[in-house]
Amino acid sequence: MCEIADRARIEAFLHAFAREATTDTHVYLVGGTSAVLIGWCESTVDVDLAMRPESDAMLRAIAHLKERLRLNVEAASPDQFIPVPPGRE
């Protein structure tokens, strides 16, 4: 069973995830995850993130870390939460 994602658990995930990176990867935190890190709320049900570029190795790392940290991690994109201008990337 997954536990709630508070600031400490999100930061633990991010540190562990960064250690798995073998190439430069941009990670975008969105939704409740960003709200927790900004201090708008204490916790969220999952870590919502997008990464560019995606890689099989990093996706496998997420699966491993989800299990190890008992944390729900969902692929999400900023445009699922806010309108973004064309050509944002």
Side-chain angles (χ1 to χ4, degrees), residues 38-64:
I38 290 170
W40 291 346
C41 58
E42 294 292 318
S43 64
T44 185
V45 296
D46 57 13
V47 175
D48 297 311
L49 65 80
M51 65 180 151
R52 304 286 187 275
E54 287 189 358
S55 73
D56 288 342
M58 294 306 286
L59 292 171
R60 284 192 299 275
I62 289 173
H64 170 75

Side-chain angles (χ1 to χ4, degrees), residues 16-47:
F17 191 53
R19 286 191 297 273
E20 297 290 332
T22 57
T23 61
D24 287 343
T25 304
H26 294 271
V27 176
Y28 303 94
L29 302 172
V30 296
T33 306
S34 60
V36 170
L37 295 177
I38 290 170
W40 291 346
C41 58
E42 294 292 318
S43 64
T44 185
V45 296
D46 57 13
V47 175

Side-chain angles (χ1 to χ4, degrees), residues 1 23 25 35-36 38 40 50 53 66 71-72 76 80 83 87 89:
M1 181 170 157
T23 61
T25 304
V36 170
I38 290 170
W40 291 346
K66 285 172 63 168
L71 189 65
N72 191 27
Q80 293 175 316
E89 293 195 28

